[in-house]
Amino acid sequence: MKLAVTVHDVARRAEVSVSTVSRSFTMPELVQASTRERVLEAARALGYRPNRAARSLITGRTANIGVVVPDLANPFFPSVVKGIQARARESDYAIFLADSEEDPRLEAELIYAMAKQVDGVIVCSARMGDADLKRVSESTPLVLLNRRYANLPAVLMDTADGSRQAVQHLAALGHTRCAFLSGPPTSWSNKERRRGLRLAARAFGVEVVELGPFAPNFDAGLQAADIAIAAEVGAIVAFNDLMALGVLSRLNQRGLSVPDDVSVVGFDDIAMASMITPSLTTVAMPTEASGRAAVESLVDQLAGRGDADGGQHQRSVPTQLIVRASTAPPGHPVSNQWDGRKPLSRKGR
Amino acid sequence: MKLAVTVHDVARRAEVSVSTVSRSFTMPELVQASTRERVLEAARALGYRPNRAARSLITGRTANIGVVVPDLANPFFPSVVKGIQARARESDYAIFLADSEEDPRLEAELIYAMAKQVDGVIVCSARMGDADLKRVSESTPLVLLNRRYANLPAVLMDTADGSRQAVQHLAALGHTRCAFLSGPPTSWSNKERRRGLRLAARAFGVEVVELGPFAPNFDAGLQAADIAIAAEVGAIVAFNDLMALGVLSRLNQRGLSVPDDVSVVGFDDIAMASMITPSLTTVAMPTEASGRAAVESLVDQLAGRGDADGGQHQRSVPTQLIVRASTAPPGHPVSNQWDGRKPLSRKGR
DNA sequence: ATCATTCTTACAAACGTTTGCAGAAACTGT
DNA sequence: ACAGTTTCTGCAAACGTTTGTAAGAATGAT
């Protein structure tokens, strides 16, 4: 089926040595234009594709990068992976993907298994402990995404600033008391979001009550909504959009109007956020951009450029609040100017 | 950083030859228990991991499988990939992932680029033409997912039967006239869904009007809803859930009640389908199962078992209608028994 | 004790590349 | 015409495995 056409076949047809064929591809400027032409022609005619296994055996480079994600079913990660894969292809890297199924042990195991066939691996929202992380990082070049450890290269979404934007937005609308529905306690993102929230709360004179922790999904949002309402807040900031969607659903079910009775803000800006009614105000995470940044960081590291820039291994990439229809000034009276901004709203009654 | 510990190092430490080390791993029964023990001990002490590039160079097998998807951002595909990756790992395969960005040319190119470092590739919803497909299939073992070509191995979701279930469901509710919002004309899934719909329409005495084609997304659903209403149908079957969500949104916006005024059915059963209000009746596609099936098909093919079973290369995997709150008997009068089935519905007025 | 048989292990040749080294050819300036 | 450069190409040795062949040791049958 797959008839292996090797460098030797090409060499024979072009009547040159194998080294010339090899060089025609990897160091074209070293071989005379006319012969190079002849070689390339022969290669094309034969359908030659270099065997990367053989190449990597001698060069030590594989031109592959590994990617580990906790759960592909979480819409956040495919988006990151998409960014990674696009940027990787630009630098002629292919990507190896592994799903750790949220299992910290499996996570480390997968990285070890990959190690030999990749030049480095990007670990998204690493769940494993610091000890494992340290060990793994000693055997393979790593880039962390949304996780910080020692001074391992990392790209970190500036989610704390996203919190600031959310609070500032709510404060500007006139809110003075809001709830934060906390996510998984071990999550770096959750810590950052909470930290940012506290800082901003003080700065803008908003009182924040922290509830939870909750699981970062729709059902937890249903549960959390009641608790938030009982806390008598005018606005709810959920750990992520899935939770926020749950909150929206439950509030609606209880006959409370969003944003008239209570404002809701999420994190992530998943596709659904703009499709739901009312559309969700949320902090957009730069998923694709971060994926790209992670690849760049890894490529730099592999090229030895990592240490050049004074140990500046951790890049922060900005987040942005997307204001939609789920936030408004507090209190029942609905000003007309707000009606105009939620044309899809069902709250006409 | 990555200190290469080779089979030679292990051999030296265990005081045996390299071949014995190799065989201790690949054909353990051929080496005496005592020496094997010594070898494994040495390997563990040194942290030896076989270099797969070197191995594949000689064996011709890579233990990798390639996966090509049109668009990772479409929630359908991560789910398939998850199934693939889980099943692949069970058979000690790692997966290579590539996103073709819906570009048929890039699709073929990616497969060629992968070819040398994988044993075979799974192409999901292939967008490329038959000619390219033929050419590619001659250079690499392929398994198609939701695409049929000649007698290439394929796993096909029985989406036509899903259509049948949807129509039968609507007929049982008393519907006699419904719309199908068609998806991309070149899509195999679209053809199948339409085919199944026509068949079932005749069998169950339901009149189906076909509208479209539309893009398979939310915005197209907004657009399509009005057209369907103008066609005076009592039920709408959308090409996929995203479109159905758009339909729901637009109907709501126009003051029409779902399911009281019109019933809506989607395809795919994306996570959102059960979170929205009213929750969406939809035909669940066996995404993970299909991913697994594709891997099995590929593994069989690679083991040479492919031809044994009489050319039965194309497996069909069943779909299932999930009845939720977006379908009900036609007409305005709402029977009480239906109120009970949509507790989350906002339609209390 | 001898021979045939089975076990166990080592040697060395592959696999398809890349690359250091050196030789050949073509220029250059005198 | 000659030595000194530069440009181009080929030879052969790696890279880390697997595996066919064969040699030595141990076993069993005669």
Side-chain angles (χ1 to χ4, degrees):
Chain A
M1 170 154 299
K2 43 162 63 171
L3 46 157
V5 33
T6 79
V7 72
H8 289 94
D9 302 321
V10 178
R12 200 170 315 121
R13 182 181 238 261
E15 297 178 309
V16 294
S17 74
V18 293
S19 22
T20 302
V21 175
S22 173
R23 274 188 272 259
S24 295
F25 285 97
T26 56
M27 339 177 78
E29 70 285 359
L30 281 192
V31 31
Q32 201 178 2
S34 58
T35 36
R36 182 185 344 128
E37 181 53 38
R38 199 147 38 91
V39 169
L40 296 183
E41 163 58 25
R44 193 148 28 85
L46 265 43
Y48 168 72
R49 297 249 162 189
N51 181 326
R52 305 183 69 157
R55 172 181 294 178
S56 82
L57 187 55
I58 180 103
T59 60
R61 293 187 58 250
T62 61
N64 297 147
I65 79 182
V67 178
V68 181
V69 299
D71 180 17
L72 258 189
N74 181 335
F76 182 82
F77 294 111
S79 178
V80 172
V81 172
K82 206 171 157 73
I84 291 176
Q85 125 91 30
R87 181 63 183 80
R89 207 166 51 78
E90 290 172 14
S91 294
D92 278 323
Y93 279 92
I95 80 162
F96 256 105
L97 181 70
D99 182 322
S100 69
E101 293 165 20
E102 300 276 4
D103 179 347
R105 278 178 49 80
L106 182 53
E107 198 169 60
E109 183 48 42
L110 286 171
I111 297 179
Y112 279 126
M114 278 182 167
K116 276 285 171 34
Q117 35 193 353
V118 302
D119 294 337
V121 4
I122 298 175
V123 192
C124 302
S125 307
R127 309 294 201 223
M128 75 183 87
D130 281 355
D132 277 323
L133 210 45
K134 177 170 160 54
R135 202 148 7 138
V136 170
S137 72
E138 282 163 356
S139 76
T140 312
L142 243 51
V143 170
L144 266 30
L145 196 132
N146 276 2
R147 168 79 180 255
R148 183 174 222 148
Y149 172 70
N151 57 357
L152 281 188
V155 355
L156 304 164
M157 302 183 187
D158 194 353
T159 196
D161 184 65
S163 296
R164 189 222 84 217
Q165 296 180 49
V167 172
Q168 186 170 18
H169 170 64
L170 292 172
L173 289 175
H175 286 275
T176 55
R177 179 175 161 83
C178 72
F180 176 59
L181 310 182
S182 192
T186 61
S187 149
W188 177 87
S189 294
N190 189 61
K191 290 198 194 86
E192 283 294 293
R193 285 169 195 183
R194 222 170 57 183
R195 186 173 67 80
L197 223 54
R198 282 180 182 159
L199 249 56
R202 200 168 316 140
F204 298 107
V206 174
E207 183 185 2
V208 171
V209 330
E210 288 180 16
L211 306 174
F214 299 99
N217 56 35
F218 183 83
D219 291 323
L222 297 174
Q223 165 194 7
D226 293 327
I227 299 176
I229 291 308
E232 297 185 338
V233 297
I236 300 174
V237 179
F239 169 69
N240 71 6
D241 284 351
L242 283 176
M243 244 169 103
L245 258 35
V247 170
L248 249 38
S249 178
R250 180 64 182 163
L251 291 180
N252 174 61
Q253 198 177 333
R254 290 190 48 182
L256 287 164
S257 162
V258 174
D260 300 334
D261 296 327
V262 44
S263 290
V264 176
V265 179
F267 278 85
D268 288 356
D269 192 27
I270 64 178
M272 262 306 138
S274 61
M275 303 181 185
I276 204 92
T277 303
S279 59
L280 183 66
T281 294
T282 185
V283 179
M285 302 303 278
T287 49
E288 292 209 23
S290 296
R292 303 184 76 91
V295 174
E296 276 160 20
S297 177
L298 188 55
V299 170
D300 280 1
Q301 188 185 165
L302 294 175
R305 260 168 296 164
D307 303 321
D309 55 356
Q312 185 52 42
H313 294 315
Q314 319 203 330
R315 349 189 155 183
S316 175
V317 14
T319 55
Q320 161 127 42
L321 181 75
I322 311 283
V323 177
R324 295 208 182 89
S326 69
T327 46
H332 282 250
V334 185
S335 75
N336 277 331
Q337 72 185 95
W338 279 99
D339 286 344
R341 298 184 72 169
K342 46 184 173 67
L344 301 187
S345 172
R346 65 183 116 89
K347 306 290 169 187
R349 36 180 169 171
Chain B
M1 170 156 297
K2 44 161 59 171
L3 45 156
V5 32
T6 80
V7 74
H8 289 95
D9 302 322
V10 178
R12 200 172 314 123
R13 183 181 237 260
E15 296 178 311
V16 294
S17 74
V18 292
S19 27
T20 302
V21 175
S22 173
R23 275 190 263 263
S24 296
F25 286 97
T26 57
M27 340 179 79
E29 70 284 359
L30 281 191
V31 31
Q32 202 177 1
S34 60
T35 35
R36 183 185 344 130
E37 180 53 39
R38 199 148 37 91
V39 169
L40 295 183
E41 163 59 26
R44 193 149 26 85
L46 265 42
Y48 169 71
R49 297 245 162 191
N51 181 326
R52 305 184 70 160
R55 172 180 294 178
S56 80
L57 187 55
I58 180 105
T59 61
R61 291 188 60 252
T62 61
N64 297 147
I65 80 184
V67 178
V68 180
V69 299
D71 179 17
L72 259 189
N74 181 337
F76 182 84
F77 294 111
S79 178
V80 172
V81 172
K82 206 172 157 74
I84 291 176
Q85 124 92 29
R87 180 63 184 79
R89 207 167 51 77
E90 289 171 14
S91 294
D92 279 322
Y93 279 91
I95 78 160
F96 257 106
L97 182 69
D99 183 321
S100 69
E101 294 165 20
E102 300 276 3
D103 179 348
R105 278 178 50 82
L106 183 53
E107 199 169 60
E109 182 49 40
L110 286 169
I111 297 178
Y112 279 126
M114 278 182 166
K116 276 287 175 28
Q117 35 194 350
V118 302
D119 294 336
V121 4
I122 297 174
V123 191
C124 302
S125 307
R127 307 296 202 224
M128 74 184 89
D130 282 355
D132 278 323
L133 210 46
K134 177 168 160 54
R135 200 144 11 135
V136 170
S137 72
E138 282 163 356
S139 75
T140 312
L142 241 52
V143 169
L144 266 29
L145 197 131
N146 278 0
R147 168 79 181 253
R148 184 174 221 148
Y149 171 71
N151 57 355
L152 281 188
V155 355
L156 304 164
M157 302 183 186
D158 195 354
T159 197
D161 185 66
S163 295
R164 189 221 84 215
Q165 296 180 49
V167 171
Q168 186 169 18
H169 170 64
L170 291 173
L173 290 175
H175 286 276
T176 55
R177 180 176 161 85
C178 72
F180 176 59
L181 310 182
S182 192
T186 61
S187 149
W188 177 86
S189 294
N190 189 60
K191 290 198 194 87
E192 283 292 295
R193 284 168 196 183
R194 222 171 56 183
R195 185 173 67 81
L197 223 55
R198 283 180 183 161
L199 248 55
R202 201 168 315 142
F204 298 106
V206 174
E207 183 185 2
V208 172
V209 328
E210 289 180 12
L211 305 174
F214 299 99
N217 57 36
F218 182 83
D219 291 322
L222 297 174
Q223 166 194 5
D226 293 328
I227 298 176
I229 291 307
E232 296 185 337
V233 296
I236 299 174
V237 179
F239 169 70
N240 72 5
D241 285 352
L242 283 175
M243 243 170 106
L245 258 36
V247 169
L248 249 38
S249 178
R250 180 63 182 165
L251 291 180
N252 174 61
Q253 199 177 333
R254 289 192 48 182
L256 287 165
S257 163
V258 174
D260 300 334
D261 296 326
V262 45
S263 290
V264 175
V265 180
F267 277 86
D268 288 357
D269 191 27
I270 63 177
M272 261 307 139
S274 61
M275 302 181 185
I276 205 94
T277 302
S279 59
L280 183 66
T281 295
T282 185
V283 179
M285 302 303 278
T287 48
E288 292 209 23
S290 297
R292 302 183 77 91
V295 174
E296 278 160 19
S297 176
L298 188 55
V299 170
D300 280 0
Q301 187 185 167
L302 294 176
R305 260 169 294 165
D307 302 321
D309 55 356
Q312 185 51 44
H313 293 315
Q314 318 203 329
R315 348 190 156 184
S316 174
V317 15
T319 56
Q320 161 127 41
L321 181 75
I322 311 285
V323 177
R324 296 209 182 89
S326 68
T327 45
H332 282 251
V334 185
S335 74
N336 278 330
Q337 74 186 92
W338 280 99
D339 286 345
R341 299 184 72 170
K342 46 184 174 62
L344 301 187
S345 173
R346 64 184 116 89
K347 307 291 169 185
R349 35 178 169 171

